[in-house]
Amino acid sequence: MPRGLSNPGSAPEAALILAAQARDQAAFAELVRRRQGWVRALLRRMCRNDAEADDLAQEAFIRAWDRLADLETPAAFPGWFRRVAVTTFLMAKRKQKANLDSIDDEAVQIASEDSLPDSIAGARIDLQRALQRLSDGERLCVTLNHGEGMSHAEIVELTGMALGTVKSHCQRGTEKLRRMLTPEKA
Amino acid sequence: MCYHWNERMPMPEHDPDLTRAFALMDDPADDGFTAAVAARVSRKEQMRKAARWAQFGAFGLAAVALAYGVAGLIQALGPGLMAELGLGLAEAHGALAGGSFSAGLGALATPLLLAIAAGVGGLAVARATAE
């Protein structure tokens, strides 16, 4: 039985990851405490509601616990865990029969400011609320592109979507966000 | 966040204003999330331990059953085999004492074949168990 860390709270992340790979639950709990904000924020931007995002974040941490042995070096943890989280999100969406490649954007309320409620149209709105007005595919691609700093090619590699689809989701999503976040000129 | 965009600007792969807007978004507070994940991990590990003990117990029972079966087999066939072996050895000894080497070898054939068959059978069982 491997010896656990004496004080996980003050241990560097690499030490926590190595201890968690040796099945140290306290080290893993500390890792969860440090990373939960980031992964829940990422999933909240990709999901339409916070409760669903938090459920998926829990699922992603459980998967990470099960598969930590696959992680080769602690330095690779952020990218590896982001992949686990995005895969968890995509699997949940597939379960819901949502096909990210074939979402009919016309059906999603957002295309123009005319479709926005009076209280929002023409005013600066919160980015989180603006994201919720994008289609699933646009929200995913824009979040990974601008929120996580990933290139189109990296998003293709991570999600398995076609490059053209990723570019189109990023472009349309970005345009819509810009329009919603830009204050209307008097 | 105040956001200004000129529509004539080309669309870059990374939009600095949007990237900044994302960076300024707040992360959610813990609100018991870590405790909930830790509890799920703990339950999962307890179940894994229970499954490991159950597997260990099943292997133990299988070993006892195998030993019981082998003991029964030895009890049933052992005396006959030992008698056959003793008889073969006595015949070989008699033939060799009488100066006939080939007759001695012939008499040893039965116990030798029995020993080889037992060895090969044992190896086959050991290999099948390992797989």
Side-chain angles (χ1 to χ4, degrees):
Chain A
M1 190 74 177
R3 265 184 67 191
L5 291 173
S6 56
N7 188 4
S10 60
E13 187 169 277
L16 291 175
I17 292 165
L18 290 173
Q21 282 183 316
R23 316 307 286 171
D24 181 337
Q25 292 181 38
F28 185 71
E30 177 60 22
L31 198 59
V32 173
R33 193 186 65 73
R34 291 187 195 177
R35 287 288 179 176
Q36 59 85 24
W38 164 62
V39 79
R40 284 167 73 203
L42 172 66
L43 287 164
R44 282 181 180 200
R45 284 161 206 161
M46 297 195 298
C47 294
R48 276 192 200 277
N49 74 73
D50 291 354
E52 183 193 5
D54 286 357
D55 285 349
L56 291 179
Q58 267 203 31
E59 205 53 50
F61 276 115
I62 298 297
R63 264 169 211 247
W65 170 253
D66 286 340
R67 292 167 197 188
L68 260 177
D70 298 345
L71 181 65
E72 288 178 5
T73 63
F77 180 78
W80 177 83
F81 187 52
R82 180 170 59 202
R83 177 179 291 274
V84 171
V86 172
T87 306
T88 305
F89 167 80
L90 289 172
M91 284 173 69
K93 284 289 154 194
R94 280 184 197 125
K95 262 190 194 163
Q96 294 167 6
K97 308 272 183 205
N99 184 346
L100 293 174
D101 282 355
S102 63
I103 281 170
D104 180 5
D105 287 353
E106 297 305 315
V108 179
Q109 270 199 345
I110 116 93
S112 70
E113 289 186 7
D114 297 340
S115 67
L116 299 176
D118 292 343
S119 58
I120 293 173
R124 280 193 297 128
I125 64 165
D126 178 65
L127 178 55
Q128 183 68 40
R129 285 168 69 198
L131 279 168
Q132 284 171 4
R133 290 167 188 282
L134 302 186
S135 71
D136 284 349
E138 287 167 354
R139 209 166 47 245
L140 171 67
C141 291
V142 165
T143 300
L144 293 175
N145 188 210
H146 301 303
E148 293 295 303
M150 295 176 76
S151 68
H152 294 161
E154 286 170 328
I155 297 172
V156 167
E157 204 266 322
L158 180 63
T159 61
M161 293 162 86
L163 179 61
T165 309
V166 168
K167 281 185 175 175
S168 137
H169 281 327
C170 283
Q171 185 165 352
R172 271 184 292 171
T174 302
E175 277 171 6
K176 288 172 183 176
L177 283 181
R178 278 173 167 170
R179 202 163 296 132
M180 281 188 278
L181 297 171
T182 305
E184 197 174 68
K185 287 166 191 153
Chain B
M1 190 203 77
C2 189
Y3 193 94
H4 298 287
W5 171 55
N6 180 346
E7 288 189 25
R8 282 168 296 185
M9 283 164 63
M11 177 80 68
E13 192 161 315
H14 291 287
D15 180 309
D17 290 326
L18 269 182
T19 302
R20 204 175 311 121
F22 269 99
L24 288 173
M25 288 176 87
D26 292 327
D27 285 350
D30 191 301
D31 290 335
F33 180 87
T34 301
V37 174
R40 273 188 71 180
V41 166
S42 174
R43 273 199 304 275
K44 205 174 170 66
E45 285 306 296
Q46 278 172 357
M47 283 177 69
R48 190 174 291 174
K49 267 185 194 163
R52 208 177 299 145
W53 277 111
Q55 195 180 28
F56 187 72
F59 273 122
L61 278 176
V64 168
L66 188 70
Y68 184 75
V70 168
L73 207 65
I74 286 172
Q75 270 182 345
L77 301 177
L81 284 174
M82 292 307 286
E84 188 71 26
L85 191 67
L87 193 64
L89 284 173
E91 274 181 24
H93 182 258
L96 288 172
S100 171
F101 186 70
S102 58
L105 274 183
L108 268 178
T110 306
L112 269 176
L113 284 173
L114 274 175
I116 290 169
V120 169
L123 279 176
V125 168
R127 191 170 172 182
T129 309
E131 279 173 5

